[in-house]
């Protein structure tokens, strides 16, 4: 399965919306037709260290359930860099226009540069 950055962003955003320490995000939080895609991306976020939680392992071809407890510091930092819809759309356009694949480090770098350019434009208007 190919990594889908919009799903990555969606999962991080939903994880941040969990309000209390006992709240978790799990596979049941999503429509069943998205189970495979969401489960795959939850596992990627765990592997990348952007969220804390666990995968429920079973030997089957079915999507694995997951229990995400919280964003890590790096997860918060990464989400903060791509939270703005404006910055996110411009960031994705940069990668498409240059024909470069997205990685966590590059996405964070480009999103930060895009946000800086937006801020410079806003500051220049004062």
């Amino acid at each position: 399965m190919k990594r889908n950055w919009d799903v990555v962003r969606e999962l991080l955003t939903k994880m941040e919306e969990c309000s209390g320490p006992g709240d978790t995000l799990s596979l049941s939080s999503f429509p069943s037709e998205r189970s495979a895609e969401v489960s795959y991306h939850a596992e990627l976020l765990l592997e990348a260290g952007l969220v804390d939680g666990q995968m429920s392992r079973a030997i089957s071809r079915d999507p694995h359930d997951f229990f995400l407890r919280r964003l890590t510091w790096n997860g918060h930092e990464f989400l903060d860099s791509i939270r703005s819809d404006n910055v996110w759309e411009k960031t994705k356009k940069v990668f498409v226009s240059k024909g470069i694949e997205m990685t966590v480090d590059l996405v964070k770098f480009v999103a930060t540069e895009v946000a800086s350019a937006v801020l410079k434009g806003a500051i220049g208007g004062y």
Side-chain angles (χ1 to χ4, degrees):
M1 182 177 297
K2 188 170 172 107
R3 183 170 49 187
N4 181 325
W5 284 94
D6 289 316
V7 176
V8 167
R9 184 174 178 252
E10 175 188 9
L11 282 167
L12 291 173
T13 301
K14 285 188 179 292
M15 187 68 256
E16 185 183 55
E17 291 170 359
C18 290
S19 58
D23 289 349
T24 60
L25 190 64
S26 66
L27 191 56
S28 64
S29 306
F30 298 87
S32 60
E33 63 270 8
R34 296 188 61 207
S35 293
E37 176 184 51
V38 170
S39 175
Y40 179 77
H41 286 81
E43 189 163 17
L44 290 176
L45 291 174
L46 285 161
E47 289 172 354
L50 297 176
V51 295
D52 180 44
Q54 68 184 48
M55 297 298 293
S56 175
R57 303 279 182 205
I59 300 174
S60 76
R61 302 195 103 207
D62 295 333
H64 298 298
D65 200 358
F66 57 86
F67 304 94
L68 305 181
R69 289 184 283 278
R70 66 178 188 85
L71 293 175
T72 63
W73 182 271
N74 287 333
H76 278 286
E77 292 290 302
F78 184 71
L79 179 58
D80 286 346
S81 73
I82 61 172
R83 179 187 319 281
S84 160
D85 290 339
N86 182 33
V87 169
W88 179 237
E89 292 305 317
K90 288 180 180 186
T91 298
K92 291 191 302 183
K93 285 180 185 176
V94 167
F95 283 96
V96 169
S97 71
K98 301 300 180 188
I100 298 172
E101 293 297 319
M102 298 168 84
T103 67
V104 170
D105 292 335
L106 285 176
V107 168
K108 188 174 178 183
F109 173 77
V110 171
T112 301
E113 292 295 311
V114 167
S116 294
V118 169
L119 286 173
K120 285 177 187 172
I123 292 170
Y126 281 103

